[in-house]
Amino acid sequence: MKYALVTGASRGLGRAIALRLAKDGFSVIINYNRSDDAAREVLEEIVLEGGSGELMRFDVSDSAAVDAAIEGWETAHPDDYISVLVNNAGIRQDNILVFMTDEQWHSVLNTTLDGFFYLTRRVVKGMMTHRNGRIVNISSVSGLKGMPGQCNYSAAKAGIIGVSKALAQEVAKRKVTVNVVAPGFIETDMTQDIPIDEIKRIVPLGRIGKPDEVAALVSFLASDESAYITGEVISINGGVM
Ligand code: NAP
């Protein structure tokens, strides 16, 4: 059995990625923070479609909680390792910089960057030992071009690109790849306050993206077919930039 861990898999992009990786044959570890019912529904859907998975609740920005969760999993699976890690969990706390609070700044950076660090340093060990692994990190168009009102989010999402490129070079010899997916506007809870008409005007392809479209790209980057791609950032944004 091959295992894939997806953070923030109770809703939105993470949910679609978890369902897709289950279809690809992975046993999916569904991480989430608060949405118990939604996470359970994702697992139920996976099982209903003949796949397998398990829930793993922890806050990615809590170092001790991450360690405890991964240690627990490794104890329960002494002969297995997680070969695919999708760092997807993320939040928005928009404000213009002059009014941004410490809490808004730190909560966004902690979830994206601390979350990446605490979890990846644990999970990558097993990949390196087994000389096989795929790490896919979810950034954003905001991390590539910067977005006004999102200095915290743009910093976090640009940071994830830098750290992915550095880590890709550290682990390449062990046949572990590290890539970034940078979505534009995708239809999830996170974008429900964005006016659709405005998006249609801004996006050359004239529509908002679907979570399944992002999941298909992650699926490819998690597969054997992407073995020669590492340290890359792939945008999926309908032509915005
Ligand atoms: P979403 O619908 O708001 O879902 C966010 C997910 O992250 C939920 O499953 C949530 O779990 C989880 N999460 C949040 N904080 C967490 C924490 N501290 N620990 C563990 N899980 C946590 O967001 P989304 O639109 O799917 O976004 C997913 C990723 O794509 C994010 O990194 C986001 O920045 C990025 N992105 C999204 C878009 C877009 O247009 N939607 C565009 C570019 C990039 P609980 O509900 O259980 O707390």
Side-chain angles (χ1 to χ4, degrees):
M1 184 56 83
K2 294 185 297 176
Y3 292 88
L5 167 52
V6 183
T7 68
S10 53
R11 297 184 286 115
L13 298 187
R15 176 183 186 280
I17 293 164
L19 293 170
R20 175 63 196 249
L21 292 180
K23 279 200 183 116
D24 292 345
F26 289 96
S27 182
V28 180
I29 305 163
I30 300 161
N31 160 257
Y32 68 103
N33 190 25
R34 296 202 176 98
S35 307
D36 282 307
D37 290 348
R40 253 195 311 273
E41 279 167 28
V42 176
L43 179 57
E44 279 167 17
E45 198 170 330
I46 285 174
V47 173
L48 214 76
E49 289 178 15
S52 79
E54 63 196 285
L55 300 179
M56 193 189 272
R57 181 181 190 170
F58 60 84
D59 177 350
V60 293
S61 68
D62 179 339
S63 175
V66 171
D67 281 350
I70 299 302
E71 267 167 39
W73 190 87
E74 286 171 350
T75 305
H77 298 81
D79 300 325
D80 299 316
Y81 74 106
I82 295 164
S83 62
V84 171
L85 171 62
V86 183
N87 286 300
N88 163 78
I91 57 167
R92 262 177 61 198
Q93 290 276 324
D94 297 355
N95 207 344
I96 57 170
L97 191 84
V98 283
F99 295 132
M100 190 169 286
T101 63
D102 290 2
E103 203 279 324
Q104 286 172 329
W105 176 262
H106 288 297
S107 62
V108 170
L109 269 89
N110 292 351
T111 306
T112 296
L113 289 179
D114 294 3
F116 162 85
F117 170 59
Y118 295 146
L119 186 57
T120 306
R121 72 173 165 182
R122 293 291 316 227
V123 174
V124 77
K125 270 188 202 159
M127 295 179 182
M128 291 171 76
T129 307
H130 290 87
R131 294 182 179 270
N132 174 49
R134 297 275 181 274
I135 298 173
V136 182
N137 300 318
I138 307 298
S139 178
S140 166
V141 69
S142 203
L144 287 167
K145 75 181 279 283
M147 292 280 240
Q150 291 196 324
C151 284
N152 50 357
Y153 188 78
S154 298
K157 293 301 190 183
I160 214 71
I161 292 172
V163 75
S164 300
K165 286 178 176 286
L167 181 63
Q169 294 171 68
E170 285 186 13
V171 298
K173 280 202 167 61
R174 300 292 184 115
K175 297 188 170 49
V176 178
T177 66
V178 186
N179 290 293
V180 177
V181 168
F185 300 105
I186 313 295
E187 194 172 2
T188 68
D189 294 344
M190 189 177 272
T191 47
Q192 65 186 355
D193 58 342
I194 297 173
I196 292 287
D197 287 346
E198 201 176 311
I199 289 176
K200 285 185 178 164
R201 206 169 36 78
I202 298 169
V203 178
L205 279 175
R207 66 174 175 87
I208 193 163
K210 297 177 194 138
D212 285 352
E213 292 172 316
V214 178
L217 176 55
V218 173
S219 161
F220 169 66
L221 290 172
S223 73
D224 292 342
E225 286 162 308
S226 69
Y228 204 52
I229 303 173
T230 197
E232 265 313 315
V233 183
I234 304 183
S235 292
I236 174 161
N237 60 25
V240 169
M241 276 293 274

